[in-house]
């Protein structure tokens, strides 16, 4: 792909060598191609000449270029625009239409890596591009990447060769991670987009904010019930809030809760994913164990709780009947004036224990339930189904942690008008509640909690999974390497 002149021998430094290499490389200007070239790629994948690429042929093609060939990857590939008739195969018409539709995106990625505009990509260019993207890459990595796609063994990759690789990437990976996927397919280590943690935070925050805003009325009813001792049922609380505060009263306390849940949800999902990836990179089987999943969930819950608890405390003290009124800034001033800085951490031990237990169980059950779904239906659940799985496992989780949540709520509001100081700590609150209201009193507010938590977690997981899929979060590392 390059002819090195005698003057190159004495060139100093890697950057100088790269520049000179480019001056001698020759290649045509990359451009969109006609249907004929795309059909030839199809015919190479359609090894039995049947006119359709079945899943066996898809897996063979994926394996040849180092891509995952597990069911989840094949499913994403087919559902990303190839399999329009849901036949689980790709016809020539479907293949040509999809590649022509995505060819502009493929060309854009190719040109971004063809630094000198020669129409080909060299190993030096690959290394330079990966370094600019924040990935430590060596000349050996560059050589391996070129070798993977270089069919005619001329030492560089043309657009046609690049297209044969990218046409087997799921649409979201092509859009967000094409270069990272290419390197990940070529080297013997996990390669992820350095922007992945930031994307995880944004997606997690968006999922949390959407879920809390839409379920705020149910949360308000739940908090009033948990803090109350006057025997009001759900209908009574609804009538009371509507009569005294109007419709907007059902969103009272939602602002600090949304402000809390945006970073909180972002931290939860990002921490959970990071801890799982930590174990995954060190796993010899390519899977993580149940105890490791539980530890990841507990770590996620504890981290998020410690960071955003002041907002949780604010929301609780604003939501109860006769609670602190005003804007979040006004309420913060009132609480600080009355209780000092400790007012923002009232009930923290109970919340921390509840979150560690709840998220350990919630995330753990979520992963186990998704695996059970795969075992039964022989496919991974879609975004909507993951929302249903998440909502169901969250109800199991909240049932077991309800006493701690109730104690936390009562610790938060004691000292406010109408809520005398009765408890020394979380344990004292649990004991006195059981003595005065019976053991069943520890689960007071459970029914509205179900009504609030199921749609809340359903929306959260649905939005998170849908956005994650759209943005290609996880890259190739989220897929099974082979068919199970």
């Amino acid at each position: 792909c390059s002819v090195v002149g005698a003057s190159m021998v004495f060139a100093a430094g890697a950057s100088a060598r790269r520049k000179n290499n480019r001056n001698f490389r020759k290649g045509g200007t990359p451009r969109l191609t006609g249907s004929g070239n795309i059909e030839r790629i199809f015919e190479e994948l359609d090894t039995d000449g049947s006119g359709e690429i079945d899943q066996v042929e898809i897996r063979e093609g994926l394996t040849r270029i180092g891509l995952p060939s597990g069911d989840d990857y094949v499913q994403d590939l087919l559902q990303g625009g190839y399999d329009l008739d849901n036949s689980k195969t790709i016809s020539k018409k479907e293949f040509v239409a999809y590649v022509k539709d995505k060819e502009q995106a493929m060309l854009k990625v190719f040109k971004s890596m063809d630094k000198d505009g020669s129409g080909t990509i060299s190993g030096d260019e690959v290394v330079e591009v990966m370094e600019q993207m924040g990935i430590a890459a060596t000349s050996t990595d560059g050589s391996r990447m070129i070798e993977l796609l270089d069919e005619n063994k001329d030492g560089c990759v043309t657009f046609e060769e690049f297209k044969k690789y990218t046409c087997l990437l799921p649409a979201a990976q092509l859009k967000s991670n094409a270069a990272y996927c290419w390197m990940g397919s070529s080297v013997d280590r996990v390669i992820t987009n350095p922007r992945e943690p930031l994307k995880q935070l944004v997606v997690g925050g968006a999922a949390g904010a959407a879920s809390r805003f839409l379920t705020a009325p149910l949360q308000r009813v739940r908090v009033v019930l948990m803090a109350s001792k006057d025997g009001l049922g759900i209908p009574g609380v609804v009538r009371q809030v509507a009569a005294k505060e109007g419709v907007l009263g059902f969103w009272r306390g939602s602002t600090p809760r949304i402000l809390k849940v945006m970073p909180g949800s972002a931290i939860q999902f990002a921490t959970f994913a990071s801890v799982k990836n930590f174990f995954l990179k060190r796993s010899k089987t390519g899977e993580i164990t149940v105890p490791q999943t539980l530890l990841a969930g507990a770590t996620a819950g504890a981290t998020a709780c410690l960071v955003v608890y002041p907002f949780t405390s604010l929301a609780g003290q604003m939501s109860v009947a006769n609670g602190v009124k005003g804007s979040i800034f006004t309420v913060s001033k009132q609480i600080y004036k009355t209780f000092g800085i400790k007012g923002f951490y009232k009930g923290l031990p109970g919340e921390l224990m509840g979150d560690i237990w709840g998220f350990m169980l919630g995330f753990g059950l979520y992963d186990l339930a998704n695996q059970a779904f795969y075992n039964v239906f022989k496919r991974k659940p879609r975004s909507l189904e993951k929302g249903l799985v998440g909502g169901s496992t969250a109800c199991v989780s909240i049932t077991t942690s309800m006493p701690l949540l109730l104690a936390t709520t009562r610790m938060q509001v004691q000292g406010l008008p109408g809520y005398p100081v009765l408890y020394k700590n979380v344990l004292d609150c649990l004991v006195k509640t059981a003595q005065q209201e019976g053991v069943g009193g520890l689960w007071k507010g459970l029914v509205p909690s179900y009504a609030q938590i199921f749609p809340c977690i359903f929306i959260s997981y649905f939005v998170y999974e849908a956005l994650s899929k759209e943005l290609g979060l996880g890259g190739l590392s989220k897929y099974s390497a082979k068919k199970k």
Side-chain angles (χ1 to χ4, degrees), residues 253-391:
S254 63
T255 300
R257 191 165 280 112
I258 291 172
L259 291 176
K260 166 236 174 179
V261 83
M262 286 181 68
S265 181
I267 292 168
Q268 288 162 16
F269 281 112
T271 303
F272 183 65
S274 296
V275 176
K276 282 181 64 178
N277 286 337
F278 173 84
F279 289 126
L280 190 62
K281 288 179 180 179
R282 290 157 179 79
S283 172
K284 295 180 179 178
T285 63
E287 305 286 343
I288 66 172
T289 65
V290 172
Q292 289 171 336
T293 300
L294 296 176
L295 179 58
T299 304
T303 304
C305 176
L306 291 172
V307 171
V308 303
Y309 187 75
F311 288 112
T312 305
S313 182
L314 276 174
Q317 295 179 68
M318 291 175 69
S319 297
V320 296
N322 301 316
V324 188
K325 294 180 174 63
S327 70
I328 187 172
F329 300 107
T330 302
V331 170
S332 297
K333 290 179 181 178
Q334 292 180 52
I335 291 175
Y336 181 76
K337 184 177 180 180
T338 305
F339 302 105
I341 196 68
K342 292 182 180 179
F344 297 98
Y345 293 91
K346 293 163 66 177
L348 175 60
E351 181 83 4
L352 183 60
M353 288 186 289
D355 279 3
I356 289 174
W357 173 257
F359 283 101
M360 178 179 71
L361 196 61
F363 275 123
L365 288 175
Y366 177 73
D367 271 16
L368 291 173
N370 281 328
Q371 184 58 48
F373 185 101
Y374 178 86
N375 293 337
V376 172
F377 297 102
K378 305 306 178 186
R379 64 174 176 83
K380 289 192 174 183
R382 300 182 179 94
S383 297
L384 182 64
E385 293 162 338
K386 285 186 174 181
L388 292 171
V389 169

Side-chain angles (χ1 to χ4, degrees), residues 149-163:
L149 307 188
D150 182 17
E151 292 187 339
N152 60 6
K153 306 304 178 187
D154 64 352
C156 61
V157 172
T158 64
F159 178 56
E160 288 305 306
E161 291 169 330
F162 185 74
K163 184 164 62 178

Side-chain angles (χ1 to χ4, degrees), residues 10 23 25 79 94 142 144 229 233 243 291-292 296 345 361 386 407 412:
F10 300 101
N23 290 337
R25 281 195 299 115
Q79 293 178 352
E94 289 173 330
R144 288 180 177 178
K229 294 185 178 183
Q292 289 171 336
Y345 293 91
L361 196 61
K386 285 186 174 181
Q412 286 173 349

Side-chain angles (χ1 to χ4, degrees), residues 427-447:
L427 180 60
D428 185 49
C429 180
L430 290 172
V431 172
K432 287 181 178 178
T433 300
Q435 290 173 343
Q436 296 168 8
E437 303 175 42
V439 175
L442 296 173
W443 277 267
K444 191 174 182 179
L446 184 61
V447 173

Side-chain angles (χ1 to χ4, degrees), residues 3 27 121 147 161 164 208 249 345 401 473 475:
V3 179
I121 301 173
E147 184 179 353
E161 291 169 330
K164 289 182 181 181
Y345 293 91
S401 59
L473 289 187

Side-chain angles (χ1 to χ4, degrees), residues 453-474:
I453 204 69
F454 183 89
C456 180
I457 301 301
F458 167 81
I459 294 169
S460 185
Y461 273 115
F462 172 72
V463 172
Y464 180 81
E465 295 292 349
L467 289 177
S468 294
K469 185 174 181 180
E470 179 65 24
L471 295 175
L473 289 187

